[in-house]
Amino acid sequence: KKFINTEGYKLVKQYTGIVLRLIEEGKAEGCIRQDVNSYIFRSLLLGALEHISIRWLLQNNSESLVACADEITDLLIQSVKY
């Protein structure tokens, strides 16, 4: 509960707002299907990236984190695009 009052929380909130706005822009431009729940999609995207990052850090992995992010992003985009 203390995290809500930190500068870190403000940054996370700002970042998640940007992601949500980009999803909404994608829907408005016709790149993302209208039936996609923007909040759930944002949670899927951020949750997947967070999970991969934490696993990578905990395992001291030498595999490219960018390659994992690209693959996750590709999978998620394929699931919501027209």
Side-chain angles (χ1 to χ4, degrees), residues 19-51:
V19 173
L20 187 61
R21 189 176 72 239
L22 291 172
I23 295 166
E24 291 297 325
E25 285 178 18
K27 290 170 76 172
E29 293 175 5
C31 301
I32 296 176
R33 294 189 332 263
Q34 292 297 315
D35 65 326
V36 172
N37 183 313
S38 300
Y39 294 95
I40 292 174
F41 184 64
R42 176 188 64 182
S43 294
L44 285 170
L45 173 64
L46 297 176
L49 295 175
E50 179 181 345
H51 178 77

Side-chain angles (χ1 to χ4, degrees), residues 46-63:
L46 297 176
L49 295 175
E50 179 181 345
H51 178 77
I52 292 295
S53 300
I54 290 172
R55 263 186 79 208
W56 185 84
L57 288 169
L58 292 175
Q59 294 177 350
N60 203 15
N61 203 332
S62 62
E63 183 179 334

